[in-house]
Each structure stands twice: as C-alpha cells, then as structure tokens.
Amino acid sequence: MKNEERNRSIEELIEEMDLHKEAPEEEPFRQYYFIKKARAYYQELSRQEGRPLTYCVTTFGCQMNARDSEKLSGILEEIGYVEEAEETKADFVIFNTCTVRENANQKVYGRLGQLGHIKKSKPHMMIAICGCMMQEAEEVETIRKSYRHVDLIFGTHNIFKFAELFTQALQSHKLVVDVWKDTDRIVEDLPVDRKYLFKSGVNIMFGCNNFCSYCIVPYVRGRERSRNPEDIIKEIRQLVADGVVEVMLLGQNVNSYGKTLESPISFAELLRQIEQIEGLKRIRFMTSHPKDLSDELIEVMSQSPKICRHLHLPVQAGSTRILKEMNRRYTKEDYLALVNRLKEKMPDLSLTTDIMVGFPGETEEDFEETLDVVRKVRYDSAFTFIYSKRSGTPAAKMDNQVPEDVVKERFQRLLKEVQTISAEVCKEQAGTTQEVLVEEINDHMDGYVTGRLSNNLLVHFPGDESMIGQLVKVSLKESKGFYYMGELVH
Ligand code: SAH
Ligand code: SF4
Ligand code: F3S
C-alpha cells in the first residue's frame, strides 16, 4: 500500500469500493471490495432473520493460529457479524485447525460431527474450516466425503483471501474449496479484531525451513518468509496508539528472522528497533530455536528494560543421538552451554521448553538424558508431548517406534520431574515484589484480578476491572506451584 493510502482508515477504503465495477486485482483492496460485497449479503440475510447474525471462530493449535483467528474475526466484524461464544449457537462457525499431533485432528472431527446435527435444524447456518489441517489433501477429502455440511475450506497460505472466499460461499450455496500448495506472498493491512485490548501477538515471519524430522509444520505452513521491519514497526506503533502495552512477536523460529529479506537484518536488530517505540512497555517473542540463538540476541535481551525475562527454548530431547535423528542441529552439550551463557548474562531469566517422549528409537538411556537436561536447566515450566506419528514426515517412516506402554511410563516420569522442579523454581520468587501486567478479572475468586509477571507466571491478587491493562507492582505472598497469590504494593 502507498503511504497516503496507509494513512486512511480501512473503513474509508471499503467505502470507496464500487461494487458495479470488477473486483480490483491488487491486495488488500481486492479483499475490501469483497468485504463490501459480503456486507450487502449480510444485510439481506439479517433482514430475513430479523436479527443480527453471529459468528464463532474456534481456534486449535499455536499462537500463530490464534493470531490468524483474530484476522478472521476482524473481517467478519467488518462484514457485520456479531461474536457468539458458543459455536452451537452461531450462524457462521469457522474452525481454524492444527495438525501437529494426531489428537488435534480427531478433536476437529468430533466437533464438526456435532455441528452437522445442529445444522440440520438450522439450514441457513454456514460452516467453514481452515488452517494447517486443510493443507493435507487427505483431510480435505475426508471432509468432502464425510462432512458434507461444510460450506468452505481453505488453507494457511491464502487466509488473506477469506473475505473473497466467504463471499463466494455465500453466493454459490455450494462447497467452496481453495487450498494453495505454498506462497511467497505476505498481504499487509487487513482488518484484525484483537482478543485483548492491552496486548497483542504480532507476526514477524511465516513458515519454517527447519524440517525437524517429526514435524508437519514446514509442510503445512510453507517456506520461511519474514515481514519487512517497517511493516512490523508500523503495526506495533498503531497497536500502541490503540492501547497495547505488550506485544508477542510470533514466528516458528524467530531467531532466523530477516535472513531472507532483500536487505537482511537480524532478529536482535529488529528487537532494538521495536524497543525504541514509545509507549510500548513489554516485548515477548516465541519460538526460539536453540541452533540460531545468537550472542547478539543475548546481549540485546540483557540490556533491554522492555524485553521480558522469559525465553521459550524448546529442547525436544536430551540425547544427542536422538536430537540428530530429529534433525534439530544441536547437541545436548550445545544446548546446556547456551543455557549457561543465557543464565550468566541474565540470572533472573525464566526458561520454558517443549519436550517430546517416545521419538522412534528412544531407549531408556536416551530418555535418562532428557531427564538429565530437565534437572540441569531447571525449567520454570515445560510442555510435554507424547511423540505422534505424522504421515508425510521422515520420522513416520522410521520403523523402530517405541511401544505405547513404555512411552506412557516415561511420560509420567518426565511430568513428575518437570512439575517438582517448576514448583521449586516458582517458590524461589515468593516474597519478592514484581511488576505485573493486569490481564483479567479472576473467574474463581470474587474481588481478585490475575496478572502476568515478566517471567510469564501468573499472580492472583485483590483488585478490580479498572486495573486491567495496567502495569502494577505486586508483592508475591505465596507460591502455589505454578502461580502466586499476591498483594498490590502502592
Ligand atoms: N517451532 C517450534 C515448535 C512448533 S510445534 C519449535 O521448533 O520449537 C510445537 C511443539 O509441538 C514442538 O516444539 C514439539 O515439541 C511438538 N511437536 C511437533 N511435532 C510433534 C509430533 N509429531 N509429535 C509430538 N509432538 C510434536
Ligand atoms: Fe517444526 Fe522444527 Fe520448524 Fe519448529 S523448527 S516448526 S519443530 S520443523
Ligand atoms: Fe499447529 Fe499449525 Fe501451529 S500445525 S502448532 S497450528 S503452525
């Protein structure tokens, strides 16, 4: 978009679209045209029903998907739809899917089946499905054959076309399917509807080039593409002007940000530039791949008053042999040395991780190496997963899969170790006073709010709605294992 156009609101640009003319070719204008077209349909449908129509976006998977869902909501709100929390009650339901593990797919089919029954008594209801699972041809086939109540299917690469595809589905009353194999495009300046007023995810890159042998993400999200730093800075400036104080920079491997740009810049340099944005108080990012974490980044982090003292550094496994089979491109020793460098510069840094149990060929000795890393690093918390065979990935073809009972037993041992250590780590901070971003009213305790520490842990303390979105000082009175009870310090 040209500069003078950037300064006009999306609403003004939609207003100017002439529906008597052909849709413009250029993005994002083409989508504004379809938003306007969908509005006309919406108004007619809403008139027939005699009430506003509602939508529900159901998100599975990672923060990347959560951000994509905010983009879907943004477009639906522009069209006129009103949010409805329960998918069984909404007029338009869209599932934004994940396919990283087998059970993620099963969950989607369960919910989709349920909606099929509801749609029988609500014929005007529309159902769409998008996201990572739709990048797999066999899943699209399953839906075509067995879930015929679905109206629209699209993938991860053409999510920017949602307004256009949605309009097509509204018009045609037939299943619309549009899934792209890959893309090198990034479309900027589409509407977004944020879940929180005071914090926001910000995509800095899309896709992944790492091809860890167990992982489906590179196949469903395509090759790595970084957004231009100017576009990122501009988006964050607008968010701050709109009340955001904390951003979470998102990418599958933020440490390789900028490498493929026309004028390459490092992730550390991007952070330096974001740090300069006035009014922005906190910066987070995920995910960091250990192989690409530079000393420059450690330097920038340790000097920064805004970058949170938290790093999510997925280890996956402790055995160097297994790490090699996983194609992670670091050894156990590399990982531990990196953790030492980080802790030397930032003794108060909170580390979290992802760990997988039962990768093909994992022996008891390999698993002990994982436990050893957990004991040495002492993570604040860890997401633990049972290895799931994803067809299409190299690991799915490995023939030495570990028996289920062995995996389950190891998983329980790992969980116990992780939980014991994180409770101990959490306790170390009890008694200190920390800066907290108040996020929400506590659902379980009257008169309490919940806030997030720089290290990403939560604290519950007496407070009210007026505090939401503010940074306050809280004394951590008591550690409850993985969260705290606290008191406001004036
Ligand atoms: N880009 C991030 C991870 C994205 S997927 C990174 O490299 O760290 C999130 C997590 O899901 C991974 O860290 C991994 O622990 C887990 N995961 C990915 N593929 C999996 C599989 N086939 N089975 C089980 N867990 C898996
Ligand atoms: Fe998957 Fe590895 Fe890419 Fe992470 S870095 S998304 S685990 S392939
Ligand atoms: Fe899942 Fe796709 Fe994220 S597979 S983990 S939603 S990138």
Side-chain angles (χ1 to χ4, degrees):
M1 225 194 270
K2 294 185 205 85
N3 266 338
E4 63 270 25
E5 278 159 352
R6 280 171 191 267
N7 295 331
R8 302 217 320 274
S9 72
I10 290 177
E11 191 48 47
E12 281 171 321
L13 291 165
I14 293 174
E15 208 47 53
E16 276 164 29
M17 291 294 156
D18 182 353
L19 293 183
H20 299 294
K21 288 191 187 153
E22 288 272 299
E25 286 298 318
E26 200 190 338
E27 297 292 3
F29 304 105
R30 189 173 170 84
Q31 298 314 310
Y32 296 160
Y33 174 94
F34 284 105
I35 288 173
K36 191 163 185 175
K37 202 159 187 179
R39 266 187 198 172
Y41 277 98
Y42 170 87
Q43 278 155 6
E44 178 53 26
L45 286 172
S46 164
R47 199 188 53 76
Q48 284 171 14
E49 291 292 315
R51 59 173 175 85
L53 300 183
T54 58
Y55 76 93
C56 178
V57 181
T58 300
T59 313
F60 301 86
C62 64
Q63 308 232 16
M64 230 76 65
N65 257 19
R67 184 64 179 158
D68 282 347
S69 288
E70 292 184 343
K71 298 175 187 173
L72 298 171
S73 300
I75 287 169
L76 289 163
E77 299 260 344
E78 282 292 339
I79 294 172
Y81 281 82
V82 180
E83 190 172 10
E84 160 60 60
E86 274 179 60
E87 70 195 23
T88 50
K89 290 191 185 150
D91 298 295
F92 176 67
V93 178
I94 179 160
F95 285 139
N96 189 7
T97 60
C98 171
T99 188
V100 80
R101 284 170 289 274
E102 186 89 50
N103 57 4
N105 293 24
Q106 280 149 7
K107 263 192 237 162
V108 169
Y109 286 128
R111 303 269 283 265
L112 209 51
Q114 205 188 358
L115 282 188
H117 297 296
I118 291 168
K119 198 175 169 177
K120 280 197 185 117
S121 59
K122 245 167 87 176
H124 72 277
M125 184 181 184
M126 277 177 72
I127 300 170
I129 174 160
C130 68
C132 296
M133 205 174 136
M134 295 303 100
Q135 290 299 134
E136 297 178 287
E138 59 276 30
E139 306 295 346
V140 174
E141 262 329 288
T142 304
I143 292 176
R144 270 185 199 276
K145 278 206 201 101
S146 313
Y147 298 86
R148 304 182 75 122
H149 52 285
V150 170
D151 302 279
L152 169 62
I153 298 175
F154 57 97
T156 58
H157 304 304
N158 57 346
I159 188 165
F160 73 88
K161 268 183 78 180
F162 173 54
E164 180 170 352
L165 297 170
F166 181 67
T167 312
Q168 220 174 310
L170 271 174
Q171 255 172 324
S172 71
H173 301 289
K174 273 200 289 233
L175 172 66
V176 172
V177 182
D178 190 10
V179 180
W180 296 3
K181 276 207 154 50
D182 205 346
T183 187
D184 52 10
R185 289 182 76 171
I186 296 176
V187 177
E188 298 284 347
D189 299 299
L190 284 165
V192 186
D193 180 50
R194 287 200 315 279
K195 192 168 167 207
Y196 297 95
L197 290 172
F198 53 87
K199 67 170 184 178
S200 179
V202 174
N203 297 109
I204 62 166
M205 58 202 298
F206 303 94
C208 180
N209 284 354
N210 288 313
F211 291 96
C212 301
S213 63
Y214 51 81
C215 184
I216 198 79
V217 172
Y219 305 91
V220 295
R221 286 273 172 174
R223 295 295 61 72
E224 208 169 278
R225 304 168 310 279
S226 295
R227 283 176 76 195
N228 285 317
E230 307 82 57
D231 290 325
I232 297 169
I233 303 278
K234 182 194 143 222
E235 181 181 347
I236 300 176
R237 283 221 169 91
Q238 279 171 349
L239 288 169
V240 170
D242 207 24
V244 165
V245 291
E246 177 180 304
V247 289
M248 167 75 90
L249 310 177
L250 299 172
Q252 289 300 351
N253 177 14
V254 291
N255 298 324
S256 66
Y257 169 80
K259 289 186 179 161
T260 52
L261 284 171
E262 235 167 75
S263 359
I265 87 162
S266 66
F267 178 53
E269 179 52 34
L270 177 74
L271 282 172
R272 275 197 200 100
Q273 294 183 16
I274 294 174
E275 173 100 40
Q276 303 301 316
I277 298 175
E278 222 170 291
L280 181 66
K281 303 273 173 53
R282 277 181 167 184
I283 305 168
R284 301 183 183 277
F285 51 84
M286 75 187 306
T287 298
S288 280
H289 194 304
K291 80 176 163 61
D292 297 311
L293 200 147
S294 67
D295 287 338
E296 188 195 8
L297 176 67
I298 301 179
E299 197 56 39
V300 169
M301 256 189 112
S302 66
Q303 307 278 316
S304 164
K306 292 188 183 175
I307 302 174
C308 288
R309 284 292 185 262
H310 171 224
L311 194 66
H312 186 63
L313 195 64
V315 64
Q316 312 300 357
S319 145
T320 294
R321 189 183 70 80
I322 292 289
L323 286 168
K324 189 155 196 296
E325 293 288 313
M326 287 179 164
N327 193 29
R328 288 292 287 181
R329 285 174 278 176
Y330 52 83
T331 63
K332 178 187 182 191
E333 290 69 31
D334 294 336
Y335 186 90
L336 290 173
L338 174 61
V339 168
N340 281 341
R341 286 207 298 286
L342 284 160
K343 290 206 166 166
E344 243 167 55
K345 285 272 180 184
M346 292 169 279
D348 57 343
L349 181 70
S350 144
L351 282 168
T352 58
T353 199
D354 292 350
I355 306 173
M356 214 181 297
V357 182
F359 184 81
E362 182 189 76
T363 63
E364 177 59 27
E365 290 72 40
D366 292 322
F367 176 67
E368 292 283 344
E369 301 267 12
T370 299
L371 290 178
D372 187 45
V373 171
V374 168
R375 288 180 196 126
K376 287 199 164 104
V377 178
R378 299 182 61 76
Y379 294 105
D380 283 58
S381 69
F383 293 104
T384 49
F385 304 106
I386 284 178
Y387 166 74
S388 167
K389 192 172 164 178
R390 301 319 284 132
S391 45
T393 63
K397 293 198 200 80
M398 297 178 182
D399 49 15
N400 40 4
Q401 307 281 333
V402 185
E404 206 181 305
D405 54 333
V406 176
V407 179
K408 286 213 166 124
E409 186 264 342
R410 284 181 195 160
F411 185 78
Q412 287 310 323
R413 275 156 70 199
L414 174 68
L415 202 60
K416 194 156 164 263
E417 195 71 49
V418 163
Q419 285 171 347
T420 310
I421 292 173
S422 59
E424 286 168 14
V425 175
C426 185
K427 216 176 217 156
E428 287 164 18
Q429 300 283 324
T432 62
T433 295
Q434 309 238 357
E435 189 164 76
V436 164
L437 177 60
V438 186
E439 295 203 336
E440 55 203 358
I441 292 284
N442 191 298
D443 283 342
H444 304 291
M445 281 177 292
D446 267 355
Y448 276 71
V449 291
T450 299
R452 197 175 291 272
L453 277 61
S454 175
N455 73 9
N456 211 34
L457 286 184
L458 296 178
V459 55
H460 308 299
F461 59 100
D464 60 49
E465 208 169 351
S466 71
M467 291 157 74
I468 292 176
Q470 286 183 22
L471 281 158
V472 294
K473 290 255 187 288
V474 175
S475 154
L476 308 179
K477 292 287 177 205
E478 194 189 345
S479 142
K480 294 279 195 183
F482 54 98
Y483 66 93
Y484 302 95
M485 298 308 295
E487 213 167 74
L488 194 66
V489 176
H490 289 285

